[in-house]
Amino acid sequence: MKLVCNLPSIDDLNDFKDYVDGILIKTKENMRSTIQKVLDYGILPILQWDEMVLPKEIEEYSNQIELTKDLDCMYYVTDLGLAHLLKKANLLDRTIFDPITMITNSLDAKEFQNYGFHAIGLSNEITIEDTKEIIQKSHCKAFLQVFGYRLMLNTRRRLISLYGKKIESSIPKSNLRIQEATREDSYPIIETENGTKIYRSQLISLLSVMNDLPIEYAYLNSFQMEKEAFLKVLKIYSNVKNGAEVEGQLKELEQLQLPIGEGFAFHDTVYNKEEF
């Protein structure tokens, strides 16, 4: 199992280098030098291309593939269109394909694995037992988020700006959460030039079962985490990966007082028909 994470800033690499096997790199500038910097630390660089790609952007990504394909890096993609570009470049064996919530059964997992991907991302919207069964039946190399806010919705529409236009008011684009009228939870929402993303209301944490999961990559997401808190979390997960007693590390995690929820990890989804 490899621990991988994204960083608040690539400049923080020196602080995190002892606890991770791989780093997801988001930057599009100085890409080759950034990849080389990660390699110099003995860490696997993974280009994080997790946006939905428009036709007008295909040439840009094709150029980035050409620019990086000779380097010892991998690619993390969520858009199947990008996967086709990587296939044309004979790079599927260096590609992690993660359609976020979509792979929830062994048939889909097996098809994507047979397509030629190095690894595939499994959904966090299913139970741990289902995750184990999918890996066992499909024999896939699995990428699974084990900590952090999990993405629920991704759209190229700029929903915050559209809402602001509707109510004729300017709305800030950072540190926002939304809340449904009939629910108590609020959900982090961000808008960028690439669209809008909405995340779960609580952090997921699979620390207690991580070493029991036959996964290739255990991913920790730093979204909306302070650097020092995320560094402590990463140390805890690294300790467990390297054989530390789980109960003691769970207590260390509890002391951080983070808004952690189980989500669907141990309880399956139940849909109740609404009464009218």
Side-chain angles (χ1 to χ4, degrees), residues 98-147:
D98 182 12
I100 310 299
T101 61
M102 300 302 292
I103 300 180
T104 59
N105 63 80
S106 60
L107 295 177
D108 286 347
K110 189 172 183 178
E111 285 298 317
F112 284 119
Q113 189 68 53
N114 290 343
Y115 186 72
F117 293 115
H118 167 72
I120 58 173
L122 301 184
S123 174
N124 282 107
E125 311 300 321
I126 56 177
T127 65
I128 294 300
E129 290 306 312
D130 286 345
T131 299
K132 291 179 179 178
E133 183 178 346
I134 289 171
I135 298 171
Q136 179 183 17
K137 288 185 176 180
S138 67
H139 305 289
C140 69
K141 290 183 178 180
F143 177 101
L144 185 70
Q145 184 171 333
V146 297
F147 179 84

Side-chain angles (χ1 to χ4, degrees), residues 12-64:
D12 297 326
L13 184 57
N14 188 63
D15 297 325
F16 289 80
K17 61 181 175 57
D18 294 329
Y19 310 108
V20 293
D21 304 293
I23 295 290
L24 272 67
I25 303 170
K26 189 77 170 178
T27 182
K28 293 182 181 180
E29 298 179 0
N30 304 317
M31 202 177 309
R32 288 183 65 90
S33 61
T34 301
I35 290 171
Q36 191 57 55
K37 180 179 180 179
V38 176
L39 288 170
D40 290 343
Y41 279 103
I43 299 172
L44 174 65
I46 306 171
L47 295 180
Q48 184 181 3
W49 293 345
D50 58 350
E51 305 295 348
M52 289 182 286
V53 179
L54 300 177
K56 65 181 181 180
E57 298 167 334
I58 290 176
E59 183 177 356
E60 177 187 353
Y61 279 99
S62 296
N63 292 337
Q64 291 176 21

